[in-house]
Amino acid sequence: MSTLDISCEDIFDLVGAWHDRELSERDQNAFEQHLLICPPCLAYSDRVRRALAALEATATVAVPEGLSGRVATAVLEQARSASE
Ligand SMILES: [Zn+2]
């Protein structure tokens, strides 16, 4: 897979792992390449990052495993309903 083959759907799938730095170097590069050419995904990843940063700032315990993905999904659904 070349770096340009990553799709917006892949961004939605990977954003939680990207935030948690769980992507392989190759996937992370592909992810960030996509953000450079796709403003909606850049805005989306930025919203996810800010939502997770706010969550982590207020959390007194470590963010549970899998939560990043759920927050990413919630932000995506918010963005979709806001654009309708
Ligand atoms: Zn995209």
Side-chain angles (χ1 to χ4, degrees):
M1 171 169 104
S2 85
T3 54
L4 296 178
D5 283 342
I6 194 166
S7 71
C8 297
E9 292 285 310
D10 294 326
I11 294 295
F12 301 147
D13 287 344
L14 295 176
V15 70
W18 168 73
H19 179 271
D20 292 342
R21 301 181 195 283
E22 287 169 353
L23 295 181
S24 66
E25 193 176 332
R26 180 195 174 99
D27 284 352
Q28 179 164 335
N29 286 340
F31 188 101
E32 289 173 357
Q33 285 282 327
H34 183 91
L35 297 187
L36 293 177
I37 60 164
C38 188
C41 285
L42 180 60
Y44 169 66
S45 68
D46 201 51
R47 286 175 68 154
V48 170
R49 186 163 51 188
R50 273 182 290 159
L52 288 169
L55 193 71
E56 283 162 3
T58 57
T60 53
V61 294
V63 175
E65 198 166 325
L67 185 64
S68 298
R70 291 206 295 280
V71 170
T73 304
V75 170
L76 177 62
E77 281 167 2
Q78 247 177 29
R80 279 186 177 154
S81 59
S83 66
E84 275 165 7

